[in-house]
Amino acid sequence: GQFISLTDSTEFFGTIQPGDSVLIESAFSFEVAADVPDNYAVHLETLTTSNVDLWEGTIKLKAYAPMVAPGLVVVNDGGNGYLDPGETAQIEVTIVNNGSITANEINIDISTIDPFVTIGNTTAYIDVLDPSTSEEITFDITVDESAPPGHIIMITLDIMAADGYATPDGIGLVIGQII
């Protein structure tokens, strides 16, 4: 499959007598891509041959991965809980791991190309995020006084973790209160 690369796909088992079995440790090996989806079904097709016959089979495995993404977003502006023109606020973003395994050494780059805002601290770090858990990150944002109410600010969150895990994501923030 597109997420599995076989690195050792053949093994010689020698002569196996009727009724016997042979166990060879590390007989086959493969690499799993860092971007494998969580709960990805891996099917390895096998072909076993002898001098007199051949047998086809399938080894079924499952690959697991973290699924790190933003959740709840809170605007902490000391006032109405909305971003207003000319205001500086702290944005609190809950980062969740909806995957089946732990994500380690998570670096989050925070950015925007929006001309109406400036982001203060543009990086966040989470050491460990176990499955079904969350951590809060914060960053400062300043809204230009000329920003029109109702304008949507798109914030990019580039999420990277150990073992090559990477996923782009983002959040949207509205300037002013939506009525």
Side-chain angles (χ1 to χ4, degrees):
Q2 73 185 68
F3 300 105
I4 305 297
S5 299
L6 296 173
T7 55
D8 178 11
S9 62
T10 60
E11 188 64 47
F12 180 72
F13 284 80
T15 301
I16 303 172
Q17 297 299 323
D20 282 352
S21 63
V22 175
L23 173 65
I24 297 180
E25 304 249 348
S26 303
F28 308 101
S29 60
F30 56 90
E31 292 181 355
V32 179
D35 61 343
V36 66
D38 192 33
N39 291 310
Y40 180 74
V42 177
H43 294 165
L44 303 174
E45 303 301 322
T46 62
L47 177 63
T48 306
T49 61
S50 73
N51 293 338
V52 294
D53 210 347
L54 60 91
W55 301 268
E56 293 181 2
T58 303
I59 298 172
K60 295 181 180 181
L61 305 170
K62 192 162 281 212
Y64 298 101
M67 291 175 51
V68 181
L72 179 68
V73 178
V74 175
V75 176
N76 187 354
D77 66 342
N80 62 7
Y82 299 98
L83 286 175
D84 294 313
E87 181 173 63
T88 296
Q90 189 174 67
I91 307 300
E92 300 170 357
V93 181
T94 302
I95 302 295
V96 297
N97 181 358
N98 295 313
S100 299
I101 65 171
T102 299
N104 295 298
E105 301 172 17
I106 303 164
N107 287 289
I108 304 170
D109 290 333
I110 306 160
S111 63
T112 186
I113 58 171
D114 194 294
F116 294 112
V117 296
T118 304
I119 296 174
N121 46 320
T122 58
T123 60
Y125 178 80
I126 300 170
D127 188 41
V128 175
L129 196 57
D130 290 325
S132 302
T133 63
S134 62
E135 289 283 333
E136 204 171 81
I137 65 167
T138 59
F139 62 92
D140 298 324
I141 191 167
T142 301
V143 180
D144 190 271
E145 289 188 16
S146 65
H151 176 74
I152 298 173
I153 305 161
M154 297 306 300
I155 307 289
T156 300
L157 302 175
D158 284 320
I159 302 168
M160 297 151 288
D163 300 320
Y165 177 84
T167 185
D169 214 317
I171 58 172
L173 301 170
V174 179
I175 296 175
Q177 185 174 0
I178 304 265
I179 297 174

